[in-house]
Every structure is written in C-alpha cells, then in structure tokens.
Amino acid sequence: MEPFYVLISTFLQVLLILTCSVDASPTGYRHIANIKRSAAELAESYDYVIIGGGQSGLVVADRLSEDGTKTVLVVEYGDIDNNKDILLPSTGAASLGRDFFNFSTAVNYHLNNKTFAIQAAAVVGGGSAVNGMLLDRGAAEDYDNWEKLGNPGWGFEDLLPYFRKSTTLTLPNKELQQEFGIVEDESAYGDGPIYASYPPWQWPGTKAQVNAWKELGVKSPAKASSGDAVGVFWAPSALDPRTWTRSYAKTAYHDRAAPRDNYDLLTKHEVLTIKFTNSSTHDPLPNNSTSTLRATSITFRNRGTREVSTVSANKEIILAAGTFHSPIILQRSGVGHFPLIDRAKIPRVLEVPGVGVNLQDHAYMTRQYDYNTNVSPNPDMLDRSSPKFNQTFYDWAQAEYTNHQRGPLTVATANTAAFLSLNTAVANTDTITSSTSRARSQISLPGTYTTSLRIGFNMQESTVLSSLSSPASAALAIPFTGKSSSPLIMLKPLSRGTVSLDRAAPFETPPLVDFRTFYHPVDLQLFIEIFKFSRKWFEAPAHRKLGPVETAMQKNAVSDAQIELLLREKVLPSSGDAVGTCAMMPFNRGGVVGPDLRVYETMGLSIVDASIIPLIPGAHLGATVYAVAEKAADLIKARA
Ligand SMILES: Cc1cc2nc3c(=O)[nH]c(=O)nc-3n(C[C@H](O)[C@H](O)[C@H](O)COP(=O)(O)OP(=O)(O)OC[C@H]3O[C@@H](n4cnc5c(N)ncnc54)[C@H](O)[C@@H]3O)c2cc1C
Ligand SMILES: *[C@@H]1O[C@H](CO)[C@@H](O)[C@H](O)[C@H]1NC(C)=O
Ligand SMILES: *[C@@H]1O[C@H](CO)[C@@H](O)[C@H](O)[C@H]1NC(C)=O
Ligand SMILES: *[C@@H]1O[C@H](CO)[C@@H](O)[C@H](O)[C@H]1NC(C)=O
Ligand SMILES: *[C@@H]1O[C@H](CO)[C@@H](O)[C@H](O)[C@H]1NC(C)=O
Ligand SMILES: *[C@@H]1O[C@H](CO)[C@@H](O)[C@H](O)[C@H]1NC(C)=O
Ligand SMILES: *[C@@H]1O[C@H](CO)[C@@H](O)[C@H](O)[C@H]1NC(C)=O
C-alpha cells in the first residue's frame, strides 16, 4: 500500500509543479496544494510556526523543513506576487506600491516636523521582493561589534560561513571585469540559493566616478565581501544570471520548499498574538534553566473575512515579521514594557523593556547634481524625470531586455559604491566624537528608557563612537552608477527610535514608528561634515570631465548653519534598512533575545529577522539578513 501511495503522491506533486510552471497565469501557484488560503486548510499543530513569510521567515522555513522530519507553517500577511515586474532589476521597488504596508512615521521634530511613508514589504518574500537588490556586506568590525555587546558567536568569522551558505557568485564577463576593474573575492561565496551576480552591463560614466574617488586617495579593497568593506568597491546584485531577474527569498528558498509535504504557507492572514502557557512543569532549556512561560500557539486573522483562528507549535514559534511588526506582535501578546502594555489594556505577561526601542536606520539624502558633459549613454537618459531623458534610447533599452535579456535594464540600483570611514571625510574625527557631544546625548533618548536600556545604550554609544574613529569600518556610503545624482547615506547613527502599538486600537492600527532622526547631536554634526565632504568628489578632476553642476538649493548651502537648514528639509529617515527593535543584547542591557535568539525568560519563542540586529552595520541589510536567518536556522535545528 505505502509505496504505491508514495508513488501516486510523488506523481501528483510532479504534475502539480508542471501545471504550475506551464500555467503562466498569475493564479497558477494556487494549484500547489500547500499554499493555503484559509485556516480550515491547516493542520491543528506544526513543529514550527513562523510568523511572517518575508526574507528571513522563508529562509528559516526552508532550512527547518529540508530534512523532512519536522512540520513547518509560515503565516504571511501579504500574498504571492506573480506579476513579472517584481522580477525586473531596473524597476524594482518603485512600481510596487501594492506590495507595501501603508503607514507613516510619527512627526519628526528634527526634520521640520515632517512625516514620511514607511517602506515595509507586505508580500511573500518581504523586503527581498521589493528592495534595490544590492547585495553588499558590512565590514568585519560591524559584526564584531555585535559580539562585543555581549553576543558570543556573532562576530564576522562566525557569520562568514552563513554569508557563504546563502549565496552563489557569478562574476561579470571578462570584458566588463577588465574594462571596469571589477574585483571580487570568490572565496567569500558558496553554493547557496541566492544568486549574487554582476549584470552584463555597466554605465561608462561609472569609470570617471570611480577614478574621482581614487584621486581623493580612496583605495579599493581586494576582499570587500570577506570583511574588508571600506573604500570604493563593487558589490553584486541579487540577480539570477540565467534570466537577469530578481533572486529573492521566494524564488530561492520558498520555491524549493513548496513541494514538501511538511511545509505549508498561509497567505493573506495577519498574526495577532502569541499565546503562552504558564506552568512549572516545563522541560528544562538546553542551558538547564527553566521558565514557567512557554509560547504554544498563535492567533491570526483572515484579512478578508476577519475570522480569527488559532494554530499551535510543538517546538517553537518563530517571529519573522520584520523590524516594525515583530515588536508590536510581542506587545499585543503582553510581552514588552509594562507601562505601554497597561495603557493599551492588554493583560501583562512578561516585562521586557527592550521590545520596540533601539530602532536604527540609514538616514540619507540625494546629492543633487546635473552633468553637463556626461558620456553617452548614461542612466539619466532612462529617467523620465530627468531633462536628459531620451525616448529613443529608452525604447532600445526595453527591447534589449525583452528580446535578449541584456542591456541597461539588467542593472538594479547600483553595483558600485564608496563606503568610507569617517577619517577619510573629516580631518579631525575627534571634533565629532568628543566627550562634550557624548554627555549631551543623554537627553536624546526616549523618555520611556529604563535604567537597563540606558546602560545598554551607553555600551552601544561607546562602540559606535570608537568605530567612527576607526579606519576599519565605514561611516558614510555613496552608491553610484553613472547617474548625476547619488544618495549620501549615514551608516552609523546614534539616534534611537521607537516602535509601539497604538494603545487606542492595538489590533486595528499599524505600528507607531518614530525614527527620531537627528535626536542625538552627533548625528547632525556628522551629516553636516559628510555633506561638505561629498562636494570634493564632484570637484575631483576625473569627475569634473562630466560637467557636474550642483542644483541651486544645495549649492547655496555653504556655512554649517545653511547646511543644517538644508538637511532638515532634505534628509529622509530610512533607507529601508531598519533594525534593532528586538535587540540581541544581554537582558540587563535592554536585550530581547540572547545569542541563541530566544526571547528571554520564555520557552519555545525565538526571533530571526532584522529586529534582532543590535547595531546597524555599514551596508544595506539584505545580505546580512540572509546570513542571520541561515545562522538562526542552525541554532534552532541544533536544539530540536
Ligand atoms: C524599499 C526597500 C529597499 C531596500 N533596498 C535594499 C537593497 O538594495 N539592498 C539590501 O541589501 N537591502 C535593502 N533593503 C533592506 C532589506 O530588504 C531588508 O532589511 C530585509 O528584507 C528585512 O528582512 P526581514 O525578514 O527582517 O523582514 P521582511 O522581509 O520585511 O519580512 C517581514 C514579513 O512579515 C510580514 N508580516 C508583518 N506583520 C505580520 C503579521 N502581523 N502577520 C503575518 N505576517 C506579517 C510582512 O508582510 C513581511 O513579509 C531594502 C528594504 C526596503 C523596504
Ligand atoms: C497599500 O496601498 C496600495 C495602493 O492603494 C494597495 O495596492 C496595497 O494593497 C496596500 N497595502 C496593504 C498591505 O494593504
Ligand atoms: C515643530 O513643532 C513644534 C511643536 O509644535 C514647534 O515648536 C516647532 O517650531 C516646529 N518646528 C518647525 C520647524 O516648524
Ligand atoms: C545540563 O545538565 C546536564 C546534566 O546535569 C549536564 O550534563 C549538562 O552539561 C548541563 N548543560 C549545561 C549547558 O549546563
Ligand atoms: C506564571 O506563574 C507564576 C507562578 O507559578 C506567576 O508568578 C506568574 O505571574 C505567572 N505569569 C503569568 C503571565 O500568568
Ligand atoms: C538619444 O539616444 C540615441 C540612441 O542612443 C542617440 O543616437 C541620440 O543622439 C540621443 N539623443 C539625444 C538628444 O541625446
Ligand atoms: C537560559 O536560556 C534562556 C532562554 O534563552 C534565558 O532566558 C536564560 O536567561 C538562560 N539562563 C541562564 C542561566 O543562562
């Protein structure tokens, strides 16, 4: 009986997969039996229940289900997006309003009281489905700092195997390598499911931009991807080199897990709470301590019918709802800072003051220039909002991509960037990192900070200030592609924001997010200095050949006071890299999870997304989130 059953079921699976891949309709995936659309289709319990089918959630789901011995359920707020444009490198995030949550930041006092739309993905694949695909990694020092904050096993040497495990490298063709001087450290990659690739096209103007950095004395590291990420260098995109389309958590991890009988994905359902049982008879933890609280089930709501259901986990509930949503799911469950939970009239479960604080992101502004004598072709020719837009060239580029999978549309945001330590940009870094500024920082923290949070912040502040004085990690980044305007990104902020549930309607409203950009006085001072420094790049001889002209508004910002006014108007609080709201730190330093990623004082509950990152690294977050999630999966498997 059994072999026959297995045969039939394998046959059916193959048939289903074939049906799915042959059927190009946007609803084709629904034929795969284990994409669930309603609670009624689920089992009563799974070994692992993962909250959020975003970037980290899908990695962990794939790894926990791959040996077939454990059952895994992922509950995701969004849907699978099968539209082709999600895969196109050149359009990417811009066109995908449909795949984002719709909510805004609190008024930012230091950014002229403005509010900003928050960039958080609501789709299977999460941030990896909508991001700019740049797959850069931070410097070794960025990750060693995590370990220094009390997280043994989380330094760069510990993470490098997981950076490798998640990625496979494809170098650009020989001509491009030679023409543009692209160097990659092949030993920094493995045979993982995410394709790290260099597209077959780079814009010629990039060469002048690279040379301008060299004229300023900026070096190119040989091993940027294995920890030496300071200087001007190339970084791959998350691109499938067979088709030059987006390689992301859905295509790389979910698609290979989907046929497994022990893996289910429920879409279009919002997880509301985590439920705990409270008993003194739980099994001890691997470190031989016990807690009376064990996370045993979740409640979740159908976004259409609003029906609420429950599903339980035999082993662990794994939070992967991202930096904005993981903390509010804890708070809704009674885990967090009690005063906040009391005000929302939610029953107290566990006092963890670090839930929803310590929010960090990469604030940035666009350095706006025109190029009067740019080489042709250049990316401004494809930009409809640029006076240099060229319809003929645009049509050609579309045809190249559609008919031959090549040309400029294979390029995502960028593959080149300057990641600079502060001493490259500022002659005397001490003026910025001085003790005077430090003392003032105390007033910059949110009023809700408890003593343990303040102690934890002081540790972070010393760590960040010493990295700002160090040549071994970057303080600012300028990615560039030959376009006349480039973003100027601040990588090591000291300001700390908050995420909290709306006490008036905790189950109906999106998280309240306050980035508190520039609340720490060092941040504003630092941004003023890097703004001034960025001019030198445009003024370097190689760059002058492109005829750069600063737009009037930015050109007129000369004195520190004028620059400050400009920054308050032009800086954006987020590059989509938000981290830190369930930080991995010691409990008595404001941490939410320990180095085993388990929520303190609980059993059966861990967090695996960007919210656990205690200090934001000097890189975009995608590559780091893959590495963290791969390591998380190993930790969870090891204790099963
Ligand atoms: C616009 C944008 C551009 C970016 N550009 C780059 C880039 O070029 N390079 C780079 O490396 N990084 C980039 N990043 C950063 C990177 O993509 C993110 O840091 C990363 O994807 C975060 O992964 P995560 O797993 O922590 O969260 P996410 O991937 O956001 O996953 C969280 C998931 O949880 C779901 N969810 C939330 N609440 C609930 C709930 N209550 N119930 C069920 N599900 C829920 C969400 O729908 C989402 O799918 C960018 C990010 C954004 C937003
Ligand atoms: C956000 O708004 C867009 C545009 O109206 C919509 O398509 C999308 O579904 C909304 N997102 C969510 C999560 O509801
Ligand atoms: C921001 O709002 C505060 C409080 O309402 C006000 O005092 C301040 O002047 C405002 N700042 C700006 C730049 O408008
Ligand atoms: C837990 O206790 C067992 C049995 O006493 C012991 O062998 C083991 O080393 C302990 N583990 C830890 C992490 O302390
Ligand atoms: C769990 O039980 C312990 C006593 O066994 C009690 O002190 C604690 O308050 C309980 N916690 C919750 C959330 O009920
Ligand atoms: C537009 O692009 C085409 C094709 O690359 C080129 O031949 C033409 O000179 C461009 N036109 C302008 C006004 O730059
Ligand atoms: C044991 O691990 C749990 C869960 O990570 C943690 O809360 C607890 O503090 C640890 N206990 C000791 C004694 O290390």
Side-chain angles (χ1 to χ4, degrees):
M1 246 346 241
E2 201 172 315
F4 178 69
Y5 166 77
V6 170
L7 249 177
I8 291 285
S9 103
T10 312
F11 169 75
L12 281 178
Q13 262 178 31
V14 169
L15 192 70
L16 289 172
I17 294 160
L18 286 177
T19 317
C20 173
S21 49
V22 172
D23 179 359
S25 87
T27 54
Y29 66 92
R30 284 185 196 154
H31 299 305
I32 292 184
N34 50 9
I35 307 294
K36 308 295 185 189
R37 311 292 297 178
S38 81
E41 299 173 61
L42 303 185
E44 246 166 56
S45 73
Y46 292 79
D47 291 321
Y48 297 105
V49 172
I50 300 177
I51 303 173
Q55 185 177 338
S56 57
L58 295 181
V59 173
V60 172
D62 169 59
R63 293 300 184 189
L64 293 181
S65 63
E66 70 185 341
D67 74 2
T69 63
K70 308 283 187 310
T71 54
V72 175
L73 170 69
V74 178
V75 182
E76 164 58 36
Y77 184 93
D79 207 345
I80 290 184
D81 187 340
N82 272 334
N83 292 290
K84 238 171 64 188
D85 55 358
I86 199 172
L87 300 174
L88 302 185
S90 60
T91 44
S95 62
L96 301 175
R98 64 175 182 271
D99 289 334
F100 286 88
F101 285 100
N102 298 302
F103 63 124
S104 303
T105 67
V107 165
N108 200 315
Y109 178 81
H110 289 290
L111 298 177
N112 288 349
N113 289 337
K114 285 187 290 184
T115 65
F116 301 84
I118 291 175
Q119 305 226 297
V123 64
V124 172
S128 71
V130 301
N131 71 18
M133 297 160 72
L134 186 55
L135 207 62
D136 50 327
R137 305 170 181 178
E141 183 174 273
D142 288 323
Y143 306 98
D144 292 345
N145 282 344
W146 298 0
E147 188 159 44
K148 264 198 215 158
L149 292 172
N151 300 302
W154 286 89
F156 184 70
E157 285 307 313
D158 303 300
L159 280 166
L160 185 54
Y162 294 105
F163 279 111
R164 289 199 186 102
K165 189 175 185 184
S166 54
T167 48
T168 297
L169 177 71
T170 306
L171 287 166
N173 61 48
K174 282 276 177 297
E175 298 83 74
L176 274 190
Q177 278 185 53
Q178 265 156 22
E179 187 182 354
F180 288 88
I182 301 172
V183 259
E184 242 315 341
D185 174 11
E186 291 175 68
S187 75
Y189 297 85
D191 60 356
I194 293 292
Y195 293 103
S197 310
Y198 286 91
W201 173 278
Q202 292 295 333
W203 297 97
T206 313
K207 281 181 273 182
Q209 293 176 316
V210 169
N211 288 336
W213 287 120
K214 302 224 157 130
E215 287 168 350
L216 294 175
V218 173
K219 301 265 185 309
S220 291
K223 292 177 175 294
S225 40
S226 42
D228 195 12
V230 183
V232 57
F233 57 84
W234 292 80
S237 295
L239 264 182
D240 185 333
R242 297 166 301 186
T243 48
W244 301 113
T245 51
R246 178 184 296 271
S247 172
Y248 72 114
K250 189 250 168 202
T251 55
Y253 287 95
H254 163 80
D255 284 356
R256 71 182 188 184
R260 296 175 196 148
D261 285 340
N262 59 328
Y263 170 81
D264 281 348
L265 169 68
L266 175 69
T267 61
K268 298 189 84 170
H269 284 74
E270 179 181 16
V271 174
L272 299 176
T273 61
I274 298 159
K275 296 285 183 203
F276 297 85
T277 55
N278 191 18
S279 135
S280 53
T281 59
H282 292 307
D283 296 335
L285 295 168
N287 64 9
N288 287 343
S289 73
T290 51
S291 160
T292 59
L293 285 174
R294 172 178 276 280
T296 48
S297 63
I298 61 166
T299 63
F300 58 96
R301 181 166 64 195
N302 183 309
R303 281 175 62 197
T305 65
R306 297 183 60 79
E307 191 186 335
V308 176
S309 315
T310 299
V311 65
S312 20
N314 309 323
K315 293 194 172 296
E316 286 192 41
I317 290 168
I318 297 164
L319 251 179
T323 296
F324 303 114
H325 293 91
S326 284
I328 72 154
I329 292 169
L330 288 174
Q331 291 166 348
R332 285 166 169 176
S333 311
V335 177
H337 192 36
F338 276 164
L340 179 77
I341 284 166
D342 292 347
R343 280 200 298 270
K345 302 198 166 58
I346 286 169
R348 294 175 166 199
V349 171
L350 190 65
E351 169 82 303
V352 187
V355 173
V357 298
N358 192 45
L359 173 65
Q360 301 157 54
D361 205 326
H362 293 138
Y364 80 100
M365 76 180 293
T366 304
R367 280 305 263 127
Q368 273 169 337
Y369 277 78
D370 286 327
Y371 287 155
N372 281 339
T373 48
N374 201 353
V375 289
S376 183
N378 64 65
D380 292 333
M381 292 164 71
L382 292 181
D383 177 359
R384 284 188 184 280
S385 67
S386 163
K388 308 276 165 31
F389 177 72
N390 179 328
Q391 187 72 49
T392 314
F393 184 70
Y394 180 89
D395 293 341
W396 172 81
Q398 296 288 340
E400 279 289 283
Y401 188 79
T402 312
N403 303 332
H404 309 291
Q405 281 81 50
R406 66 185 186 208
L409 301 193
T410 59
V411 181
T413 37
N415 294 102
T416 336
F419 282 88
L420 306 178
S421 60
L422 192 58
N423 62 5
T424 308
V426 182
N428 185 1
T429 57
D430 291 354
T431 55
I432 293 182
T433 60
S434 69
S435 51
T436 347
S437 320
R438 270 179 91 170
R440 281 156 61 203
S441 74
Q442 289 310 309
I443 57 166
S444 70
L445 290 172
T448 52
Y449 260 50
T450 60
T451 307
S452 65
L453 290 176
R454 280 175 191 278
I455 297 170
F457 176 73
N458 290 344
M459 283 169 64
Q460 292 196 357
E461 189 183 46
S462 317
T463 309
V464 170
L465 289 171
S466 86
S467 279
L468 284 174
S469 313
S470 148
S473 68
L476 69 138
I478 302 186
F480 54 91
T481 51
K483 213 172 159 38
S484 53
S485 294
S486 297
L488 170 60
I489 310 172
M490 189 172 74
L491 296 175
K492 289 194 163 36
L494 284 164
S495 302
R496 293 292 179 265
T498 57
V499 173
S500 54
L501 43 67
D502 183 347
R503 65 176 139 160
F507 294 94
E508 302 304 328
T509 32
L512 305 177
V513 177
D514 189 354
F515 278 105
R516 305 175 91 257
T517 312
F518 290 157
Y519 269 66
H520 195 296
V522 166
D523 288 353
L524 181 58
Q525 223 185 320
L526 201 115
F527 217 123
I528 291 171
E529 293 303 325
I530 66 177
F531 177 89
K532 287 191 275 195
F533 169 74
S534 63
R535 272 194 182 121
K536 294 190 182 161
W537 178 50
F538 289 94
E539 287 162 1
H543 215 152
R544 274 209 303 270
K545 295 202 182 103
L546 304 179
V549 181
E550 199 169 1
T551 57
M553 190 183 187
Q554 298 202 0
K555 191 179 178 163
N556 293 336
V558 178
S559 68
D560 284 10
Q562 288 165 335
I563 295 170
E564 179 179 329
L565 284 179
L566 177 77
L567 296 182
R568 288 186 189 281
E569 191 52 37
K570 289 288 176 197
V571 165
L572 300 171
S574 160
S575 307
D577 290 340
V579 301
T581 52
C582 297
M584 176 173 66
M585 295 265 285
F587 186 69
N588 59 4
R589 301 287 184 267
V592 176
V593 297
D596 59 1
L597 300 184
R598 274 199 274 222
V599 174
Y600 285 115
E601 308 304 328
T602 70
M603 298 168 63
L605 179 60
S606 49
I607 312 181
V608 299
D609 58 32
S611 70
I612 66 104
I613 293 174
L615 269 188
I616 193 165
H620 298 80
L621 255 291
T624 300
V625 167
Y626 282 125
V628 166
E630 287 278 12
K631 184 171 165 70
D634 267 5
L635 291 168
I636 294 167
K637 277 197 273 188
R639 62 182 168 243

